[in-house]
Every structure is written in C-alpha cells, then in structure tokens.
C-alpha cells in the first residue's frame, strides 16, 4: 500500500510544495522539491520529523534576564515538550559566551544545548 | 470624622473638593476606580462652551456662562493648557440650516458676542476642508478646549496640597445616617462625615438610593470617537460640528490641546452602565458621516477609537439638590454635557450649599487663609529649551532616557508621575499624566518599559502591574 | 559642534552593516546611534532560527546573526552610543540626540544613514470594535515580553494577522505553555512564509482561518473573548460570528517604516513603500542622506537587509569621497500591474554599472507568472516566476545597457500571466538591438 502526501518544505523561505510517495520498501519518492535539501527534508518528514528548537532560560546574575538558547541539531518533533522541559531545568550563571555548550546529551541523545547570546555579569 | 465626604473623583467631585479646600473644612474624596478622572471625565470632547445654546432658566445655562468666564483664570492658576477655539456648526441640507438659524437666534438672545451666520463661501473660507455641499453654518468664537483629565489631575494635586484627602480603589457600598453623621462604607472600612456630596456619575442614583427615596434615574449614554495622529492637526481651524437633523446624527471634529484631532461623538443609548465597547456599525456610521462632511478626510491617520459613557439623569437639568430626607446629603448628579464647562461654576455653587448646611447646624465656616490656588505642573521634557533639558539630565539622568519615543516622554517624567500625589499606580495612570502610550504606536514600543518602571517604583512584581482596574493584569506569569 | 563623517541612526542589522561597509571603504569618523542598551535591533528578541541562509549559508537565530556584526563593529572600533534616542535630523545633516550621560547634543554629519527600522500597526489603526481591556498586544510587544522580560503575556490567545511575526508568536506562545486557539487572517492567503505556517501552526494543530476577521474584542478589565467572523468581498458575512474564549489577543496586522525623523528632515516618502524615495545609491531626495533596511521598506529576510545596507554604506562612502552625479539621466521606476512598490524609485542612469537590482513586492499571489521589465513601454526583460507572494520580497536584476544608451524616462515592472501575446515582439526587439 502506498500513500502520497503533500507537504510544504521548511528548509528555506521558498517553501516548495512537495508530494511524497511512501514506498513499500520503506523509502519514499519526492517530487516538486526545488533542490536536494528539499528531497532530504521530505524523507525525514515522513519517517522521523525533526525541528530546530529555540527557547530562553533564566540567567543568574546576568545583565539581562533571559538567555536565548538553541539545540545544536534538529530534534524529534514528537519529543519537543520533553526536550523543552529538560532545557528549562538547565541552570546558568553570567558571564556566558555565545556558542557555549550549556547542556549535553539531552534525553540520552547526542543533542546539545548552545547559548545563543553573550551575557555579561550584572554590574 | 470629616466635615465633607465627596463620592466620585471625576472632574465634578474633584472641582468641588478643591473649592471646599478654600474653606476650613476637612474633606475626603472617595473613588471606586484606581485613579481620578477615570470615567466620563476621561472620555469626552474636552470642549468649553460659551453658552450660545444655553437655556438661561436652567442650571445648565447659568453655569455655562459662569464656567466659561472662570476657565482661563482657573487653568492659569493650575498650569493647565487652555486654548480658545471657535465653534462652527455646519448644515448640509435645509432642515439642518433651519436648526442652525434657530441656533443663531438663541445665541443672540443669550447675548453671545460675535456670533453670526456664515454663507457656504464663508464657511469654506475658514474651513477649507469642509465638503462643497455645505449649506451654511453658525459661528461663535470664544469657546475653548482643554484636556479634561489633565485639568482634573491639576485640581486633585492642588486639593491635596491644600489638605484634601483622597481614597482611591474604594467603592462605596453603603451610606447610613445617624443624627447628623453620615457613615460611609467603602472597602469594608467606615468613613464618617457631616456632609456628603454625591458626584458618583453613572452610579449617582445608586448612591442616592442608599439614604433617600429615588429622586432620579441615571440613563447611560455612549459616545464613540476616533482619535487622529498629530499629523492631522491642521485639518480644521475651529471646532467643527455637523448640525444634527431628524434623519442624521450630528458629530464634531475637535482639535485637542495636545494636537490630536477627535472625530465624534456619535451618541447612542448605552446598553448598560458598564458597557464601554465600540461597535463596528457605529464606527462605520461615524466614518461615513465624517466623509460626507469633509473632503480629503485623513482617515489613514486614525490611531485609536474609543467610547465614553455619560451619565444623563432622567430629568431636564442637572440634579443639584440637598436631600430633604437626609439633610447634609447633596446630590450633584446627571452632569452630562456641558458638564465640563460648568464644573468650576458647579463647584462654587455646591460650596455655598455646603456652607449653608453647616451654618444651619450652628457651625461657622471660615475661609482657609492658607489656601494656595497655584499648582505647577510636572516637567515636560519635550517642551523645554535645550539648556533646560541638559540641566535636568545633569541633575537626574533619568530625564535623558526616552521611554515613549512617539510623544518624547522620559523615564524621569514617568517616575515623577508615579510619585506625585495623586500618583499613577497603573499603566493608564502613567498614560494620562505623561502621554506615554498616546502616540502613533499606541504604546507598542513603550508599554513594556512603562510596566517595568511601575513595577520598580511601586516595588511590585510585573504580574501585579495593571493597566487600569485591579483585574486588568498585563502579564500572566513568568516564563520558566 | 562635533563633526562626524557619517552618522548612522539605528544600530540594528541595517545600521551595523552600513557602518561596517562605510568603514571598509575608508570612512573614519563614523558614529552609530542606538536607543536600546545593546546593538542588534529587533534581532535581539528574535530567538528563532532562519536568519543568515544567504549571507552566511548558515541558519542562525536572531541574536547570533546580530553578534556577527556586533563583533565586526568592535573589531573595527567603530564608535557607537547606546541608550541614545535621536530627536531630530535636519536637512543640513545636523543630528540631535539625547542619552542619560551626554544629555542632549547636536552633531554635524557630512552624511547620514537612516536605519530606524519599523513599528507595528496598533489595534486603533485597523478599527477593531469592542472594549479596550488589558490583554491586547501587538505580536512584537508580546515577543519582547516573552524573550527579553521573561513573561508570558497570557494563557489562551487568538492571533489576528498571519504575517511572519504572528506565526512565530503562535509557536513561541505554545512552546511556553500558552494555548493558541487560532490565527485569523483577513486575506484569502497567509501573510507570512509557508514554512512558518507549517512549523508554527500545522506542527501544533493551530487552525489558520483565512477570509476571517475579528469583529469584536470582549472583556471589561482583561480580554475574555473575541468574536471572529467570515469576510466576503470586503464585508463581514452576517451569521458567521463565532466567539472564542481567550484572555489574550495578539495583533500582527502590518509594519510601518518608522520615518518620523525622515519626514521632519524633509525627506520625501513613497506612499507605496512607506519609505523614502530612493535612488540607485539608496540616497533620499536630500544629498548625503541615505536609507536602508526596514525604514526604506519592510523586509522579510534580514539577509536582504544586510545586502541593501552594505550597498548604502558603500554609496555613503563614495559620496563622502567626493563622488557626485548630476542626475541628468533620471529614470523613474513605475510599479505596473500587480506590483505594490519598487525600490529604488529613481535611477540615475550615469551611475549604473552593468547590472541594476530592484527589490519589489506584488499586491497579490500569482502562480506561473512572469515579471516583465519595460523601458518606456518597450520590454527589456522577462523573468519567469513559478510563484509570487506579497509576503515574499522579489529581487530582480536587469541589464543596465539599455538605460545607459537611451534617454529612458521610466522603467516599469509588471506581473503577467505566462503565455502572453507579447512573446514575438520581444524577440523582434532583440534582433533590432543586435543589429545596432
């Protein structure tokens, strides 16, 4: 049994409409993608959709209240609430450098959390 | 125990309180909202009439003339901007012209100087943007415009300077009379006074009915307005009113002292005493009416629409009477248009009524020798010359930090507005006192900054800062 | 009076890129004036990713993108002032600003770059009826509360407007624990990028109600609901009203370039773009005053802002180094059928190299169309476009040769559906010019 789905690619702002056909062998056939990345996106989207996760966490003794953070790679969409919960529990204190890894191996995966901003210590 | 308790801190209550402060009487003003000038006072046209339309045999008429005379001096004493403005009442069809001619006749009878009728050409000469369909107009100079809430703050500040006490956020739930003392319950606390003035606006009937048989009923009226950005301020040169007819409502184009333009009100019966909502239907009607009255209406400059509730009593005139059943309880109710104009005159009149109450009880009321009528308004950074601005910033760097960039309001002014008496305790209170949030972006840029400043100065958490009344929280909770 | 070669008003991505480019081109006395306590502009509250795909071939978050430029500003030791609000720019390029440490100061600049960005359209502008309770926010303000102040503005929200900011906030609010009930869109198509509809709405099951609007806000002290209704042919369809129980209304109903300073300086604005009328050097009608970024026209991608602002910086540097054009051969760009606006609005033909780049927006969505460039009515170029959307700014590069040789008065760009009868005409023209 094959099924065809129509999805919108989110890799770049063009947002190509891709029609994906699931094949019996577990693979898929994508049509309508404007580039190779779109094809790859279509495949993951069918099997294990992933998303980049960004949020903010509180900083102790920082010149500003909140530290924007991001995962270093896209994470499994279905697990986003759990990832968020874990990230929110991370405690950081200023000074913080952009790019600093502040959380490792979330939920027993190789996903890390990176500080997305420099924050000086509160003076 | 106070000599006089005034219920309601709109322009009427506060005007009366300040007038009473000129005597040696202890006065307290009790207000249910979080701030003074928060109801009808906040949402009206800001026009001071010159009595062209006055009914001489009514209080409304007599007080209009007296009020108009008192305004300039009052605003000078209180350091409140007041501008003279002409009134143009324009008609667009014969029915309207008939009414305009009647208006002129009344003006002549009332002795209003320099009033006249204008031909269509003359109207277009003084108001170039009016529609070519204009049939003629009535013109009367010597009306005026004022910011009603700015005036009320000034009156309140001066009243406090002269010893009047204010209790805000205190809704009166009961008034009882025992012998010559009134016991007022507000916020589960009791305030005692020898004399009570009922200036409770929309709820004046409710308050009256606590001590007396019903004397009047308040019928709420709603007026809806558009506010235009200051860029539109050259659109009219006078207050321009469209004469209402049997088929078409009237409305006005009103310049404000701050340079905005108000279009409205389009008046309707209000659904109830609380319903301040605007309706799409009325707003569209107002737009259509305005577009047929003026050419090139700058509707792209609209930054806000609002509605104001006005307390009209079901009697022909203002209801200003001492209760027969409860002597010492004075109703000052149903003060709708031209209430703003009449306020100083009402205050004088009620002060005399209060004096009579005390004299009848054998208590002499003397003049307050220490009464200082002068009040200086707070700093307005944008209005200062450069040298003054720099002196201010050198003394207090908070004046060098612009918070509201549309109206150029500094942090220093906002902090001052919070700590003045009566000070701002809400975002709306800061807005009314400093204009932060009244500009083009309507608080989009400054409101989060104002909230921070309020939280810091009042030493409360951000979740506890409110826009206006106690449940109007701004932020729901901290993010994790 | 203190003099600077170049004063840049605004230290966001536009101002920074322009200042850096001017410095690269040898300009020394540069001053960037920024009203926030840090550089970076609106990017500092845009914590989501999607920035830098073109400029850095990386997907960065807003603060990360900003930091690249902040680092370069620091490395090049370009002077900047924070917590500084510019009060006025005069036609003679005198810039007056205020901050808590310097007080009120006026500087003389030899050139000025306007990079003030834009503001959000408030509720009052769109005339939503109903009460005026607490709980109505423009999407950017709500974003500031969440990402900078650390506060959720409400627990149950409806969002009016499906522009990118509205879509991004739908996701952001949901991730922080709020419930977003719906995004309401007046037009028959979403205002923002499709990728944002997917990852901000579809991912969370948030319905997008196109052809709908909000007819009433309800609630006395705080919002307690909104009434949503269908719209057809510009009017509300009676009987389609639905009430949503909510405590928050976010508005994402348009951005307006912040040109108050520009207008006061005597800069002429283009009603269509709402930004200054600009020539090919991104210069306004006042010589030596340039504009770039959202203040010139509202952008979707910061990458385009950077490219545009680098050009402005380059041109400002050229101006400061004495390069002037008489503006004899002035070409006007004319938005034709289906085009909302074109930047630049004027082209001085003698100042154009081989190629000329235009940025434009269309008025409505098109599929299988082409952008047709005409010089005085004669077709110069046709670019096929599979899809055109108002929410996506288009870049079109045109051969400038035609302008250089002839006295072209106007250059128009219009949208045409593919399969136009003009096909033969253009080939004929090409043949002609080849012979000449």
């Amino acid at each position: 049994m094959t099924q065809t789905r129509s999805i919108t690619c989110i890799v770049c702002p063009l947002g190509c409409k891709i029609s994906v056909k699931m094949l019996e062998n577990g693979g898929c056939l994508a049509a309508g993608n404007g580039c190779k990345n779109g094809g790859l996106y279509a495949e993951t989207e069918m099997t294990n959709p992933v998303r980049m996760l960004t949020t903010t966490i509180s900083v102790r003794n920082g010149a500003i209240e909140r530290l924007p953070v991001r995962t270093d790679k896209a994470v499994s969409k279905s697990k986003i609430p759990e990832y968020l919960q874990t990230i929110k529990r991370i405690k950081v204190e200023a000074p913080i450098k952009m790019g600093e890894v502040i959380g490792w191996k979330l939920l027993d995966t190789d996903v890390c959390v990176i500080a997305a901003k420099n924050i000086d210590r509160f003076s | 125990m106070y000599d006089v308790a005034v219920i309601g801190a709109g322009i009427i209550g506060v005007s009366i309180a300040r007038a009473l402060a000129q005597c040696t009487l202890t006065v307290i003003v009790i207000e249910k909202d979080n701030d003074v000038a928060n109801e009808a006072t906040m949402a009206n046209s800001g026009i001071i009439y010159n009595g062209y339309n006055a009914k001489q045999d009514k209080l409304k008429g007599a007080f209009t003339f007296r009020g108009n005379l008192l305004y300039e001096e009052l605003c000078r004493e209180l350091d409140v901007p007041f501008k003279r403005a002409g009134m143009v009442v324009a008609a667009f069809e014969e029915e309207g012209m008939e009414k305009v001619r009647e208006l002129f006749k009344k003006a002549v009878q009332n002795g209003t100087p320099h009033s006249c009728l204008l031909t269509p050409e003359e109207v277009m000469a003084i108001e170039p943007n009016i529609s070519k369909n204009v049939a003629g107009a009535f013109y009367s100079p010597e009306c005026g415009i004022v910011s009603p809430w700015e005036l009320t703050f000034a009156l309140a500040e001066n009243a406090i300077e002269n010893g009047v006490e204010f209790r805000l956020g205190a809704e009166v739930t009961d008034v009882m009379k025992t012998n010559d003392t009134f016991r007022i319950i507000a916020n589960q606390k009791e305030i005692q006074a020898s004399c009570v003035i009922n200036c409770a606006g929309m709820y004046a009937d409710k308050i009256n009915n606590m001590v007396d048989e019903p004397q009047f009923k308040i019928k709420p009226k709603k007026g809806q307005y558009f506010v235009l950005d200051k860029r539109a301020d050259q659109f009219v040169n006078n207050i321009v009113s469209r004469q209402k007819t049997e088929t078409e409502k009237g409305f006005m184009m009103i310049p404000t002292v701050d340079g905005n333009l108000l279009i409205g009100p389009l008046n309707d019966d209000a659904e109830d005493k609380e319903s301040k909502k605007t309706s799409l239907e009325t707003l569209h009607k107002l737009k259509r009416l305005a577009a047929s009255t003026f050419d090139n209406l700058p509707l792209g400059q609209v930054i806000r629409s609002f509605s104001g509730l006005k307390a009209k009593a079901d009697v022909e005139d203002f209801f200003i009477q001492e209760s027969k059943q409860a002597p010492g309880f004075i109703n000052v109710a149903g003060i709708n248009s031209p209430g703003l104009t009449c306020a100083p005159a009402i205050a004088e009149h009620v002060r005399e009524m209060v004096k009579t109450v005390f004299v009848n009880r054998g208590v002499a009321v003397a003049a307050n020798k220490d009464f200082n009528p002068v009040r200086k308004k707070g700093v307005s950074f944008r209005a200062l010359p450069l040298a003054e601005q720099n002196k201010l910033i050198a003394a207090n760097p908070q004046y060098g930090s612009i918070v509201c960039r549309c109206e150029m309001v500094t942090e220093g002014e906002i902090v001052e507005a919070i700590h003045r008496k009566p000070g701002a305790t809400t975002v709306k209170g800061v807005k009314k006192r400093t204009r932060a949030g009244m500009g083009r972006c309507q608080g989009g840029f400054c409101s989060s900054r104002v909230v921070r400043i309020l939280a810091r100065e009042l030493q409360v958490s951000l979740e506890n800062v409110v826009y206006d009344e106690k449940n109007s929280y701004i932020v729901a909770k901290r993010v994790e | 009076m203190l003099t600077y070669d170049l004063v840049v008003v605004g230290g966001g991505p536009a101002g920074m890129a322009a200042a850096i480019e001017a410095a690269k081109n040898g300009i020394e006395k540069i001053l960037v004036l920024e009203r926030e306590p840090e550089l970076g502009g609106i990017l500092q509250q845009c914590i989501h990713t999607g920035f830098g795909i073109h400029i850095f071939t990386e997907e960065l978050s807003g603060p990360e993108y900003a930091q690249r430029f902040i680092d370069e500003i620091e490395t090049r030791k370009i002077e900047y002032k924070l917590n500084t609000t510019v009060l006025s720019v005069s036609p003679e390029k005198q810039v007056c600003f205020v901050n808590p440490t310097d007080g009120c100061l006026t500087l003389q600049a030899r050139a000025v770059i306007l990079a003030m960005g834009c503001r959000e359209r408030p509720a009052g502008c769109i005339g939503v009826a109903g009460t005026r309770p607490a709980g109505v926010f423009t999407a950017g303000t709500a974003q500031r509360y969440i990402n900078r102040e650390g506060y959720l503005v409400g627990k149950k929200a409806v969002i009016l407007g499906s522009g990118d900011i509205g879509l991004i906030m739908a996701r952001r609010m949901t991730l922080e624990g709020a419930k977003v009930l719906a995004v309401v869109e007046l037009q028959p198509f979403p205002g923002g990028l499709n990728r944002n509809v997917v990852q901000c709405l579809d991912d969370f099951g948030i319905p997008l109600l196109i052809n709908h609007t909000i007819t009433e806000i309800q609630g006395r002290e705080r919002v307690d609901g909104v009434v949503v209704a269908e719209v057809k042919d510009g009017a509300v369809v009676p009987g389609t009203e639905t009430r949503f129980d909510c405590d928050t209304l976010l508005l994402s109903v348009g951005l307006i370039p912040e040109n108050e300073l520009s207008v006061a300086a005597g800069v002429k604005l283009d009603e269509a773009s709402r930004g200054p009328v600009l020539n090919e050097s991104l210069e306004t009608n006042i010589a030596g005053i340039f504009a770039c970024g959202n203040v010139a026209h509202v952008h979707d991608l910061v990458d385009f802002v950077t490219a545009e602002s680098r050009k402005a910086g380059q041109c400002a540097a050229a101006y400061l180094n004495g390069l002037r054009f008489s503006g004899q051969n002035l070409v006007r760009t004319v938005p034709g059928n289906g085009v909302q606006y074109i930047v630049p609005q004027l082209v001085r033909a003698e100042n154009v190299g081989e190629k000329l780049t235009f940025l434009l927006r269309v008025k409505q969505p098109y599929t299988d169309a082409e952008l047709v460039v005409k010089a005085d009515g004669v077709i110069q170029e046709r670019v096929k476009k599979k899809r055109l959307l108002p929410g996506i700014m288009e870049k079109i590069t045109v051969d400038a040769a035609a302008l250089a040789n002839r006295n072209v008065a106007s250059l128009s760009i219009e949208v045409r559906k593919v399969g136009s009868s003009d096909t033969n005409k253009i080939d004929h023209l090409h043949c002609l010019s080849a012979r000449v």
Side-chain angles (χ1 to χ4, degrees):
Chain A
M1 190 176 27
T2 58
Q3 32 168 186
T4 313
R5 252 182 72 187
S6 175
I7 60 172
T8 304
C9 181
I10 63 169
V11 176
C12 90
L14 265 183
C16 300
K17 286 251 183 302
I18 306 177
S19 88
V20 200
K21 192 160 157 186
M22 294 307 293
L23 303 174
E24 274 168 14
N25 62 7
C28 70
L29 212 59
N33 45 308
C35 73
K36 209 193 318 196
N37 291 332
L40 289 169
Y41 168 78
E43 183 156 4
T44 21
E45 193 66 7
M46 293 287 100
T47 51
N48 174 29
V50 290
R51 298 285 186 265
M52 284 302 290
L53 196 52
T54 58
T55 185
T56 60
I57 59 174
S58 61
V59 196
R60 271 184 52 222
N61 297 323
I64 61 170
E65 301 279 332
R66 308 289 298 177
L67 172 69
V69 299
R70 43 123 106 233
T71 49
D72 65 337
K73 45 183 87 67
V75 303
S76 188
K77 191 171 111 177
S78 56
K79 289 218 161 69
I80 284 179
E82 290 158 67
Y83 275 108
L84 275 176
Q85 255 190 353
T86 316
I87 294 172
K88 294 289 187 185
R89 283 201 290 265
I90 299 175
K91 303 257 175 275
V92 287
E93 182 163 351
I96 302 196
K97 272 234 102 35
M98 177 177 287
E100 206 178 300
V101 178
I102 56 165
W104 294 262
K105 302 205 172 146
L106 297 190
L107 301 184
D108 290 328
T109 63
D110 59 351
V111 174
C112 296
V113 185
I114 304 177
K117 193 177 165 62
N118 294 332
I119 299 190
D120 294 330
R121 210 169 162 79
F122 179 76
S123 54
Chain B
M1 170 84 170
Y2 297 87
D3 292 322
V4 186
V6 177
I7 302 177
I11 184 139
I12 301 301
V14 176
S15 295
I16 292 171
R18 180 189 181 251
L20 290 173
Q22 292 167 32
C23 309
T24 54
L25 292 169
T26 55
V27 181
I28 182 170
V29 179
I30 309 168
E31 165 60 50
K32 73 168 167 49
D33 282 2
N34 270 341
D35 202 356
V36 309
N38 216 34
E39 299 290 339
T41 303
M42 177 71 204
N44 64 71
S45 310
I47 298 176
I48 308 304
Y49 291 92
N50 66 6
Y52 60 79
N53 203 11
K55 297 189 175 77
Q56 297 263 20
D57 57 339
K58 301 233 179 321
L59 293 175
K60 277 189 189 185
F63 288 156
T64 299
F65 290 116
R66 181 78 186 135
N68 186 292
L69 273 177
L70 292 172
Y71 251 91
E72 240 160 318
E73 173 64 16
L74 180 67
C75 289
R76 206 181 359 253
E77 281 177 345
L78 296 172
D79 201 8
V80 168
F82 173 72
K83 287 203 188 127
R84 284 288 173 198
M87 170 70 75
V88 174
V89 183
F92 292 79
E93 59 287 283
E94 185 46 38
E95 192 195 333
M97 269 316 291
E98 256 181 58
K99 295 203 190 289
V100 160
R101 282 184 219 112
E102 275 170 38
L103 204 54
F104 176 59
K105 267 210 216 102
K106 263 201 220 140
V108 169
Q109 275 168 10
N110 280 325
T112 324
H114 311 302
S115 298
C116 57
L117 281 173
L118 300 177
T119 63
E121 293 72 35
E122 286 168 333
V123 183
M124 290 192 267
I126 60 170
E127 290 297 342
N129 286 313
I130 208 156
S131 158
K132 311 282 169 281
N133 298 326
V134 66
F138 162 79
Y139 171 74
S140 195
E142 299 300 297
C143 290
I145 50 174
V146 77
S147 164
W149 61 85
E150 193 175 349
L151 175 57
T152 309
F153 286 130
L155 288 161
E157 287 173 26
N158 189 238
I160 291 173
E161 270 279 309
N162 285 295
V164 172
E165 217 180 293
F166 276 73
R167 200 159 298 181
L168 305 175
E171 183 178 343
V172 171
T173 44
D174 204 358
V175 183
M176 295 159 282
K177 188 161 189 228
T178 325
N179 300 327
D180 277 347
T181 305
F182 289 91
R183 294 162 54 215
I184 303 161
I185 313 295
N187 267 1
Q188 285 102 41
K189 291 208 191 72
E190 183 174 295
I191 298 169
Q192 293 186 357
S194 304
C195 174
V196 175
I197 324 275
N198 177 15
C199 304
M202 204 55 76
Y203 294 99
D205 49 3
K206 182 168 167 214
I207 302 286
N208 171 82
N209 299 351
M210 290 173 184
V211 284
D212 197 353
E213 294 300 312
Q215 303 289 323
F216 56 86
K217 198 164 153 67
I218 298 292
K219 295 182 164 282
K221 285 233 167 275
K222 191 193 296 194
Q224 300 189 36
Y225 297 80
F226 284 110
V227 182
L228 273 62
D229 185 50
K230 290 178 182 178
R231 287 233 210 123
D233 73 343
Q234 300 292 322
F235 192 71
V236 289
N237 297 314
N238 300 281
I239 304 166
V240 182
S241 170
R242 184 185 173 118
Q243 172 61 51
K244 76 167 184 237
T245 61
E246 296 303 309
T247 43
E248 200 74 275
K249 287 194 201 262
F251 78 97
M252 295 189 276
M253 198 71 124
I254 313 156
T256 70
V257 284
D258 299 300
N260 292 103
L261 202 56
L262 292 180
I263 306 183
L266 210 55
N267 288 323
D268 267 314
D269 289 328
E271 301 89 339
D272 55 54
K273 288 182 174 183
E274 287 298 316
S275 174
K276 292 190 191 142
K277 61 181 187 176
T278 54
S279 79
L280 266 183
E281 204 192 313
T282 307
L283 290 179
H284 283 157
K285 219 195 279 186
L286 182 55
K287 265 197 201 158
R288 270 200 318 269
L289 202 54
S292 70
T293 308
F294 292 93
D295 292 335
N296 312 312
L297 199 57
L299 284 174
Q301 300 293 336
V302 169
I303 53 176
R304 187 173 165 76
S305 57
F306 69 93
S307 74
L309 289 177
K310 294 108 193 274
K312 188 168 155 58
D314 58 349
V315 293
E316 269 303 305
D317 198 0
F318 294 150
F319 192 92
I320 304 181
Q321 285 179 31
E322 184 180 0
S323 164
K324 293 198 176 54
Q325 190 158 310
F329 183 90
I330 301 175
N331 276 306
V332 184
I335 315 296
N336 65 330
S337 186
L340 180 64
T341 311
C342 299
I346 294 175
E348 279 182 335
H349 179 85
V350 172
R351 180 181 56 211
E352 295 315 303
M353 288 174 79
V354 169
K355 278 193 190 154
T356 308
V357 166
F358 282 94
V359 159
N360 286 344
R361 289 183 193 166
V363 180
V365 178
N368 178 5
K369 284 192 303 288
D370 298 323
F371 180 76
N372 177 13
V374 172
R375 164 259 186 197
K376 281 260 144 268
K377 73 169 165 206
V379 161
S380 175
F381 178 85
R382 63 177 166 273
L384 294 175
L386 182 66
E388 290 298 316
Q389 287 176 331
N390 279 322
K391 234 198 298 190
L392 201 58
I393 296 170
N396 180 354
Q398 282 181 343
Y399 285 99
S401 176
I402 304 272
V403 174
C404 166
R405 54 94 213 277
C406 295
E407 296 286 319
M408 235 203 269
V409 183
T410 63
E411 183 174 351
E413 291 160 84
I414 294 172
V415 170
E416 204 226 351
I418 294 170
H419 294 294
R420 223 182 289 159
K421 293 190 187 349
T425 55
T426 63
V427 172
K428 189 174 172 191
V430 168
K431 197 204 270 204
K432 283 150 71 178
R433 287 164 177 76
T434 64
R435 285 192 64 84
M438 287 196 176
R440 285 179 315 270
C441 85
Q442 289 287 295
F445 176 71
C446 67
S447 61
S448 62
R449 292 159 172 80
V450 170
V451 168
R452 267 246 165 247
I453 296 170
L454 276 165
R456 183 189 74 205
E457 297 296 316
L458 298 174
Q459 296 183 342
V460 298
S461 69
L462 249 79
E463 297 100 307
N464 287 327
V465 174
V466 293
Y467 175 70
D468 184 14
E469 292 175 73
K470 64 179 187 302
N471 293 321
S472 60
Y473 65 92
I474 310 231
V475 296
K477 61 182 193 136
R478 281 200 84 103
V479 168
E480 273 156 61
Chain C
M1 197 184 295
L2 215 51
T3 313
Y4 279 85
D5 292 325
L6 175 65
V7 171
V8 181
V9 183
M16 289 196 288
I20 290 166
E21 202 62 23
K24 276 188 179 154
N25 280 271
I27 307 304
E28 288 182 353
K29 282 197 83 188
I30 303 175
L31 177 62
V32 177
L33 299 172
E34 167 56 47
R35 69 179 175 203
E36 292 278 351
E38 58 180 342
L39 295 172
I42 206 71
L43 288 177
Q44 295 292 11
Q45 66 182 57
C46 297
I47 65 158
H48 50 280
T49 53
F51 307 94
I53 292 176
H54 299 273
I55 299 284
F56 299 117
T57 53
E58 270 184 78
E59 233 196 86
L60 301 172
S61 65
E64 288 168 323
Y65 188 94
Q67 196 60 45
R68 301 278 169 105
F69 295 86
I70 296 173
D71 288 342
E72 198 167 354
I73 294 260
E74 301 285 12
T75 314
R76 291 182 177 275
K77 297 201 183 355
I78 296 174
E79 193 185 344
Y80 60 89
K81 286 186 188 291
L82 304 172
N83 297 307
T84 299
T85 303
V86 172
L87 298 175
S88 67
V89 176
S90 79
E92 297 78 32
K93 304 192 230 4
Q94 291 188 345
V95 179
C96 176
F97 66 83
V98 66
N99 67 41
T101 30
D102 298 312
C104 256
L105 275 187
T106 304
L107 310 164
Q108 179 66 60
R110 290 176 50 224
V112 173
I113 297 183
L114 303 170
M116 296 86 78
C118 57
R119 65 176 183 270
E120 296 183 277
R121 187 175 269 129
C125 276
I126 55 167
V128 189
T131 50
R132 291 160 304 290
V136 179
F137 303 88
T138 48
T141 303
Q143 188 182 52
R144 191 190 159 87
Y145 271 115
I146 292 185
N147 293 338
R148 302 281 283 166
E149 312 279 351
Y151 286 88
L152 204 56
V153 292
K155 299 194 181 136
K156 233 186 190 189
V158 170
I159 302 179
L160 177 60
S162 62
D164 286 319
I165 306 177
L167 300 176
I168 295 286
M169 282 312 293
R171 176 176 63 184
R172 191 81 192 94
M173 298 273 287
T174 309
L175 287 179
E176 291 300 340
K179 180 108 182 72
V180 177
L181 300 171
V183 173
V184 178
E185 170 56 56
L186 185 66
Q187 299 293 332
F189 48 85
L193 302 169
N194 274 337
R195 76 191 297 223
N196 285 332
V197 174
V198 170
Q199 57 190 355
C200 299
L201 302 189
D202 297 345
D203 273 7
F204 301 99
I206 299 171
L208 172 63
L209 305 172
I210 53 172
N211 291 313
H212 278 72
T213 192
I214 291 184
T215 54
E216 194 183 320
I217 300 176
Q218 297 180 344
R220 247 201 62 194
E221 301 181 47
R222 173 86 192 192
V223 170
D224 66 30
V226 295
V227 177
V228 176
E230 210 181 305
V231 173
K232 201 167 173 200
D233 298 325
V236 172
V237 179
T240 62
E241 291 88 356
T242 321
R243 185 180 186 278
F244 283 79
D245 199 76
C246 61
D247 64 14
T248 307
L249 172 62
L250 293 194
L251 301 170
S252 170
V253 293
L255 297 173
I256 305 170
E258 189 59 83
N259 276 295
E260 300 308 310
L261 288 177
S262 322
V263 168
V267 166
K268 277 220 232 2
L269 298 187
D270 172 11
E271 264 178 43
S273 66
R274 300 196 75 144
V277 170
L278 297 172
N279 63 25
E280 79 300 320
S281 305
L282 299 174
E283 191 180 30
T284 66
N285 58 306
I286 300 180
I289 299 187
F290 300 78
C292 56
N294 278 346
V295 81
H297 53 136
V298 176
H299 289 254
D300 330 296
L301 295 183
V302 75
D303 301 69
F304 278 28
V305 167
T306 298
E308 185 176 77
S309 307
R310 281 174 173 165
K311 183 160 170 70
Q314 201 179 58
C315 294
Y319 170 86
L320 285 166
N321 286 326
L323 198 58
R324 300 279 187 276
F325 296 95
S326 59
Q328 285 279 24
N329 293 328
L330 202 63
V331 185
R332 253 165 226 294
T333 59
V334 178
N337 175 57
V339 175
Q340 171 69 25
Y341 70 79
I342 305 172
V343 170
Q345 290 83 349
L346 298 169
V347 177
R348 292 172 303 184
E350 67 269 30
N351 188 24
V352 174
E354 279 181 22
K355 300 236 173 265
L356 196 50
T357 303
F358 296 103
L359 291 172
L360 61 94
R361 279 192 194 276
V362 296
K363 288 183 180 167
Q364 60 180 88
Y366 292 94
T367 42
D368 296 320
E370 55 186 5
L371 289 172
V372 180
V373 183
K374 290 179 178 172
D376 285 339
V378 174
I379 297 180
Q380 297 299 300
E381 210 130 333
R382 298 162 75 134
V383 181
K384 276 209 177 23
K385 288 282 174 183
K386 241 196 139 168
R387 193 165 348 130
L388 288 168
L389 290 166
I392 301 191
M393 189 180 287
E394 287 295 331
K395 202 182 260 208
I396 183 169
T397 306
V398 168
D399 230 321
L403 295 180
N405 297 332
R406 315 176 331 211
N407 261 341
V408 176
S410 80
L411 201 71
S412 76
I413 306 181
E414 63 187 55
V415 182
R416 281 233 202 123
K417 290 292 272 172
V418 162
S420 232
S421 59
D422 274 338
T423 320
N424 297 327
K425 218 183 181 170
I426 200 187
D427 292 334
H428 182 59
L429 262 175
H430 272 159
C431 296
L432 267 178
S433 57
R435 263 188 271 144
V436 167

